[in-house]
Amino acid sequence: HELACFHWCLLNVRPELRTSHRYVRLATVCHKRAVGLVGMDAVLNRGSSSWGAHMQRYIKGVSIPTPAGEHTFVGATAIVAADTPAAAEMTGHKKAVGPTTKSCCRGCHCRQDGDPPPHRSPNSFLAGLPTWKRYCPGRNTNFTLRSSADLKAYLQKLQDVNAGRSTAKDLTMWKQLMGINDFLGSMWTWPCYPVFTGCPQDIMHVLFEGIARQLLGAAAYVMITHWDVNPEDLVLAIKRHATAQGISRAEYPYVNSSRLKRLGEGTKGSLPRGDCDFPGTAIQLAHMILDVEQIWSHLIPAQEKRSLTWQLLLYESKVANLMWRRHFDTDSLLALDKAIWIHDKLWLGNKFTSHLWKPKNHYLSHVPLDILRWGPPRSYWCTPFEHENQYTKRAVSHGNYSNVVMSAAEAKALSVALDVEGDGGCR
């Protein structure tokens, strides 16, 4: 199970209605192999119970009983929260970045072919907006955002093939250059869904599970092998910080002896390994990068406090703390964009991290523009949805598989009923 679509109701419906199967439902449950057999379009749009079918009905209006009586409401999907492979599979973009991938971002025409690859550069999309450029001195936009112009170009290519001015092979090569498998992804028929901007970058996978995990691993390697920091002190500092702040130790990463030994293993040139990482769940890594200055600062030798590696770690902590906000204004959004720009320059200018740059580092530059469109990223990050997905998978796996949708709905209805009955105390 790698894709789950959840039905959310923004109305204050009475508890007895909330727990009924008419309103507590899981719209889409499927095995991954089903996606490969019938395609994502069939999973999302075919059949009366598919997510796309629900969207077509909701936009026409559905009758819902509320405390004020029966009312008709309309609704639609405006935004999709997903990691990179799932988002690409739904939107029609390339799922993985490999040797033959030319355009490696679903949000812009960011190229990874060339020497050096164009995506290995700081980038600011706010600097490309006419009314924001004056507030972004020294920053620039290096890539063109995807837009309806891409679809018009695709239609022209189709007409050229139909008229004999081009071949189907030429069209396939052009799509490869654009980083596209299918220009009309599975969601293009959904009402109100913005095809080019409706799936913003998810900071859980891009920052906490991706960039932060790798940078913490690289920084730990540098501290152990180049700054003579005792490996055991790295772990002890985490425990001491949690205790001092009165926070559960489980909120921060655990590092066992084998993982601790691995943190000290490098590659040629006494550099961090290309696959270096720091252990922990997404939320543990989030808390770690948010508090890294308080946790590790006392371990850093005085002469290394101004090193690129430590300054980079501090800037990544600043980026994380800015993204953690629940509200943004112009000043905080510009501060985030500037922090990401400096963070990326430090990453590329540091010999210990420049070789670790990956497409996720570029994806980070999209976040300020996504915030301008959709608000704080914690409102649409994948953390709560992955928790819900795990709950759904457990409910299904504990059933007899005769009706997986019913098993999932029953478990969800029971959870809601217990929460309502005990106000959260009966879990």
Side-chain angles (χ1 to χ4, degrees), residues 16 26 51 67 166 206 217 245 375 391 425:
E16 62 270 21
L26 196 72
W51 189 259
S166 183
V206 171
Q245 298 297 318
Y391 186 88

Side-chain angles (χ1 to χ4, degrees), residues 62-66 68-73:
V62 293
S63 180
I64 299 178
T66 72
E70 193 94 2
H71 291 280
T72 299
F73 295 89

Side-chain angles (χ1 to χ4, degrees), residues 82-146:
D83 62 6
T84 301
E89 191 154 22
M90 289 188 289
T91 58
H93 295 88
K94 295 289 184 182
K95 287 198 298 181
V97 178
T100 61
T101 307
K102 302 296 189 299
S103 183
C104 59
C105 178
R106 67 177 181 272
C108 71
H109 296 286
C110 172
R111 303 289 295 275
Q112 72 157 7
D113 56 329
D115 189 19
H119 79 284
R120 287 178 56 88
S121 62
N123 181 68
S124 168
F125 285 107
L126 293 187
L129 302 179
T131 56
W132 288 73
K133 186 174 180 62
R134 59 186 290 191
Y135 302 106
C136 304
R139 307 196 289 278
N140 55 279
T141 302
N142 299 320
F143 311 104
T144 305
L145 291 167
R146 295 187 185 271

